[in-house]
Amino acid sequence: MEKKVTVIGAGNVGATTAQRLAEKELCDVVLIDIADGLAQGKALDLAEAAPIEKHDAGLVGATSYETSAGSDIVIITAGIPRKPGMSRDDLLKTNMNIMKTVTAEAAARSPEAVLIIVSNPLDAMCHVAMETSGFPKNRVMGMAGVLDSARFRTFIAAELNVSVENTHAFVLGGHGDTMVPLPRLSTVAGIPITQLLTEDRIAALVERTRTGGAEIVGLLKTGSAFYAPASAAVEMAEAILKDKKKILPCAVYLEGEYGIRDLFVGVPVKLGRNGIEEIIEIKLTDAESAALRKSADAVKTLVVDMKKLASV
Ligand code: APR
């Protein structure tokens, strides 16, 4: 293939991401994991499915980073997944150290790559990845909003008994309990859901979206969601690989946009060949702005905690 994407972490999210990238024939895929044989085994298994799935994407697995050299995109899913009852923030220290190691290894070999971070706690991990890689802010982003919006869309479609394809939803803010779904800009065939559903029902769907990750963790009992997170990461990668100029909500580094500075927060951006090509500023109501600021404050707390942990 013309393009190459490295996926770090060959666990549930990483392996599913590799599968979707290959089956959509978007690129060759290098799958990397610290666990000996895991990435190699999954890559080989996926490669052996290729004749049946009818694609020619190359798939290799490795524990080291040499084969990742020259990647167009590096998707980082390495980390420890959230267990039931565990908050994303509990994961902070372990995943921070993992993120530092894998980012340094990958960035050294693919200095022109776009980094898509998936590991949680997402917004904090994006900071680590940007600091460690030294990449410009247009080439470091976190996957959260696409997943959160997809969850909201799923619930809207089920509630109204319409195709998910008719739904559109925007979710801003951090990937956590303070995320900010925007019902007034969420539509079904162009009609705002505020004209189709009662306030109570919208509030219920918003709440389910907000706790969507925890709902899956509670059901799975071991591990967290991976099918939808992988789909979301692949949608972002596809927009970049195909230079689609697609507007998607992503966690990006803000420097004054939406009144937020020096923090990764989820906002709509245009994705193309150069990564984040534009941050789209939409006019928010006072209540929405306040909710977004609250969400940004939660990210800030996490970043401060992380800096404290890093100095211990
Ligand atoms: N280098 C490479 N791989 C690593 C490293 C490391 N330093 N540390 C851990 N890993 C690998 C693990 O060996 C494991 O295979 O990361 C993989 C994580 O996979 P899972 O445990 O299956 O977790 P997954 O469900 O894929 O979630 C990964 O994405 O959605 C987030 O919260 C989730 O942070 C978590 C991440």
Side-chain angles (χ1 to χ4, degrees):
M1 300 274 105
E2 208 180 304
K3 305 280 183 182
K4 176 166 161 182
V5 173
T6 290
V7 181
I8 306 179
N12 281 336
V13 179
T16 311
T17 300
Q19 179 181 359
R20 298 222 154 106
L21 288 169
E23 288 179 359
K24 286 176 178 245
E25 220 170 34
L26 293 174
C27 53
D28 289 332
V29 183
V30 177
L31 191 57
I32 294 179
D33 201 283
I34 197 169
D36 189 30
L38 185 71
Q40 292 94 321
K42 289 192 179 179
L44 180 59
D45 197 6
L46 285 169
E48 289 167 355
I52 308 167
E53 296 299 334
K54 304 182 183 65
H55 68 77
D56 286 299
L59 283 140
V60 290
T63 47
S64 63
Y65 288 74
E66 288 79 28
T67 45
S68 74
S71 293
D72 297 282
I73 298 178
V74 175
I75 302 177
I76 304 182
T77 77
I80 306 298
R82 198 154 50 127
K83 309 266 163 44
M86 190 180 184
S87 81
R88 286 194 179 89
D89 304 359
D90 293 338
L91 297 172
L92 189 56
K93 193 166 183 179
T94 314
N95 283 348
M96 188 173 78
N97 290 328
I98 294 173
M99 185 59 60
K100 271 190 199 161
T101 315
V102 305
T103 304
E105 294 276 5
R109 289 167 181 85
S110 301
E112 302 303 324
V114 173
L115 301 181
I116 301 179
I117 312 303
V118 179
S119 311
N120 277 312
L122 194 265
D123 314 281
M125 291 304 113
C126 292
H127 279 266
V128 178
M130 193 164 88
E131 264 174 38
T132 309
S133 65
F135 283 7
K137 63 174 187 167
N138 62 303
R139 289 200 281 122
V140 184
M141 67 191 79
M143 185 291 293
V146 177
L147 170 62
D148 295 331
S149 304
R151 286 183 172 144
F152 198 18
R153 291 174 63 189
T154 307
F155 304 147
I156 292 167
E159 181 81 12
L160 291 168
N161 192 26
V162 295
S163 164
V164 288
E165 290 181 50
N166 280 140
T167 63
H168 187 85
F170 254 127
V171 176
L172 305 181
H175 187 47
D177 306 335
T178 60
M179 75 176 74
V180 187
L182 297 185
R184 123 190 121 80
L185 298 177
S186 300
T187 58
V188 173
I191 307 157
I193 59 165
T194 45
Q195 291 181 27
L196 301 169
L197 290 166
T198 63
E199 268 183 38
D200 284 0
R201 286 314 301 152
I202 291 174
L205 302 189
V206 163
E207 186 52 24
R208 193 169 177 202
T209 302
R210 216 171 251 145
T211 55
E215 184 177 5
I216 305 271
V217 170
L219 290 166
L220 294 181
K221 298 186 182 64
T222 53
S224 48
F226 56 99
Y227 291 116
S231 294
V234 171
E235 183 174 31
M236 291 165 66
E238 182 171 18
I240 297 164
L241 293 169
K242 293 186 174 169
D243 193 25
K244 282 174 81 83
K245 317 289 185 199
K246 192 168 192 176
I247 294 172
L248 292 170
C250 302
V252 299
Y253 193 68
L254 298 182
E255 289 179 306
E257 298 89 350
Y258 290 94
I260 297 167
R261 191 161 282 283
D262 302 337
L263 282 177
F264 273 88
V265 175
V267 296
V269 299
K270 188 194 283 180
L271 291 187
R273 179 187 298 128
N274 302 310
I276 300 149
E277 300 195 345
E278 191 182 336
I279 292 173
I280 316 280
E281 277 198 83
I282 48 174
K283 198 163 160 32
L284 300 179
T285 65
D286 289 347
E288 289 162 356
S289 289
L292 187 60
R293 265 198 307 278
K294 193 170 153 220
S295 185
D297 286 345
V299 176
K300 190 167 193 171
T301 307
L302 205 54
V303 173
V304 170
D305 287 353
M306 194 170 61
K307 295 215 160 121
K308 277 192 208 139
L309 286 170
S311 62
V312 180

